[in-house]
Amino acid sequence: MVGGPAPALALADDLARLMDDMLTRKVAWTALDRLVPEQYDRYWQLTLQFLSIPREFWPTRLREIGRMEAAERRDLLIEAETRRLAQTGGPVIAAGSTGSMPATAALLHAIAALPQGAVILPGLDRHLDDDAWASITRIESGDRPQVNAAAQNHPQFALHALLDRLGLKRKDVRQLAEPAAHGRDLLLSEAMRPAESTALWQSRLAEPAIDKSITDGMRNVAMVEAPNSELEALAIAVSLREAHETKKTAALVTPDRALARRVLAQLARWNLVCNDSGGDPLTETPAGLFARLVANAAHEQLAPAALLALLKHPLLRLGRQRASLLACVADLELALLRGTRPPPGISGLRHSLTTFRVELEKFRRHEFSSLHRSEPRTALQDAQIDAVSALIDDLAHALAPLTQIDPAATQDFSTLAARHCEAIERLTADADGIPAAFTGSDGQSLFEAFQETQQSGAQGLLGLRLGDYPDAFETAFSSRVVRRAEIAGAALSIYGQLEARLTWCDRVILGGLTEGVWPPEPGSDPWLSRPMRQEIGLDLPERRIGLSAHDFAQLMGMPEVVLTRATKVGGAPAVASRFLHRLEAVAGRERWATARQAGATLLAYAEALDRPHGVQPIAQPAPKPPRAARPTALSVTEIEHWLRDPYTIYAKHILKLAPLDPVDMPLSAADRGSAIHAAVGDFTQAFAKELPDDAREKLLGFGRKHFAPLLERPEARALWWPRFLRIADWLVAWERQRRDGIAAIHAEVGGRIEIPLDHGRSFRLTARADRIERRADGNYALLDYKTGSPPTGRQVRIGLAPQLTLEAAMLREGGFADIPAGCAIAELIYIRLSGNIPAGEPQTLDLKQSPDEAASEALQKLEALVRRFEDENQPYHALVLPMWRTRYGDYDDLARIKEWSATQGTVEDLSP
């Protein structure tokens, strides 16, 4: 199926709409025979061929199942009522209909012909001149009416056609009452004037009577032009609140449901109740969203983001109490879903949990573990891990109806929907077995939709794979609208255009007046082109513009009118509605400026709501913890943080805050570096005295051990393991050459020294050296493996990257076991292991001084730094010496760096 099942369902919906249009407009299938395919593009020729299928199959199918089209049934009922009324004497009054459908027009015709019948026309324009009125019509061509495309844009199109059907002229229509004092009928008549007659504006608008009527009509009209949709919604809420405070009824009318939801949210800040008759698509209600999450989680094989969205939804129950369930979900997130992605499916979660238990035990025994970078995970207790295991079992049972489906197998849509429904029921069942997803109006609507789908499944609607189901489900179910419960006594309302036709209020707000929203974008028919529709007598897409124009004109008749639009929607510029442009042209510059000023007042109130009285830039945080809370032990790798960003030391070692890994984190360079370090370290320890003949195979063996968790990922197998193979080749060759002249090697050796302080305190510096070599001449060399870019000699020399020089100082002070104090340092070397070309590269530091001198100087600077922070008046500032101005660390959000760094910069220099 080209494009997939979801687009096919959307096309089926368009086809059903075309079939309804043909029934409504009394256009028979035989009308298609009048179309000459050769006159149209190849695409439309193919669609005409395809339409022969529903033309021949569908009527037969309806007879087989004993059904009829809903549109046909509606028309038959209207025709029956027409016949019934024709036999009565009345009185009968028809009010509010424009007779836009042939069946309705026939009913109105019958009522008008009754001795005591009356038809009340809504908003008939009695001001438009006869020539302009005559242009709003259908075009007669032979024995069938053609559609005037331009006329369909006009709000009077349906009323014009109805009067033609009734054989009446406008002058034959009697006005029931005088226009209201705030009447804007002439203003709207001119604003909606057909385009071909707008040249008359120059003379007509200059007439005193018309000018006065337009002036009166523009009173109590406000125009709000908000910079974005959020402020537009807030301005509308302010206007609604003002009406509420002054005891007026008010309503927002908008086709933009997103704007309506924003207004409801803004009204909640004042606890104002508001009826919303517009409703929401089923798939955007809480129950519908949960159903979508279930389908997506099954399709994505429980990928972390999809699974967490499902687990944290308020409707999830799994037969548990909500509080205990959330606690268990948090533990599952911490243990398995933060960090790298677990293998797919329930089996992948179970495998990852088993691996986590093993790694946690290693961590507890102080062995090398993949948890070395995720300290928060190590706080989980065995009982919490057991609870996570039980939660995975419950998920496996609840999702089994979907997860046990073969992804490659083709299923009937109704079968998948039934399994989907069963999974939702299991997931949301509470302790009493009641599924929370199927309660409430949205839940009941969701359940009914599933039931109808299963009933229609007997006819075999559609075959699709599990991966196609989420999109197909959303397409099939989104057309259902769930109405919100009405709030008794609410003076504020939100309406769609259809519901607003039967309402009246003191103040109406017409929101979302941008092109494509109001009026709507003319839709395209994928089955018949515009010329085709015009040829057989169907309405053109512009008909919707005319209907929305009629709604706009009618709503402008309320006592107070507020027009709103956003100049930007979704961050992109939005074009003002053509209705606003026309209204502005007729109102004139001064009157329109007055309306805009009234709108600007509302917008100013909205903007002032969240505007602070004054903006006081915050100072750079300068925490000064007591001396007893300050760290007395750090590793050499932390000293660089202390120099560059002391706030990191404060947050990590004083506040004891450990950053969480992101959800579904991709494998990082740190994972690769840890595996390479561990493999090379184990190899060097195992063969410190002598290299074996099969050194490469031994090194690869250690590599396989430490790369094993990573090689479950295809990117690691494809990119990182081949790099390690190149590293192994280079390292073995380098080792064979390097070992000449080396008397002893110490690999992965821990060391420490103490720095005495005042007040009976001391500071402990710790390190784990990658490699210490004792050369044949008795001097020592310190080597550090780097899988990334090692620091430059200048960075080390000025003290910004003191790791290797501090290890050298520790070595000279006898901080490493089995190495005597007072030894001489001959070399400080970084070994870059990138796996590129070259795969490895030794870089001897050029310090412009001997390594011994550099070590002594580094230790002196460290002692000065330690004593400086022993002073309780010394704050832990953030970003003292940042290496990258635009790169932020783990705790920079806590330090609120973006709030103060733009104006202050760094405040202190701790560099040596």
Side-chain angles (χ1 to χ4, degrees), residues 432-460:
D432 298 324
I434 300 174
F438 296 142
T439 60
S441 58
D442 58 334
Q444 292 173 8
S445 180
L446 177 65
F447 184 74
E448 291 170 2
F450 275 122
Q451 293 296 106
E452 292 178 10
T453 302
Q454 293 168 29
Q455 291 169 7
S456 65
Q459 289 82 44

Side-chain angles (χ1 to χ4, degrees), residues 291-303 306-307 310 341 344-345 399 402-403 405 407 420 465-471:
R292 288 166 54 190
L293 292 174
V294 173
N296 286 331
H299 163 54
E300 296 183 20
Q301 296 183 293
L302 307 186
L307 179 57
L310 173 64
R341 175 182 292 200
L399 290 170
L402 288 174
T403 56
I405 296 174
H420 187 194
R465 293 182 173 86
L466 180 61
D468 300 321
Y469 177 73
D471 289 340

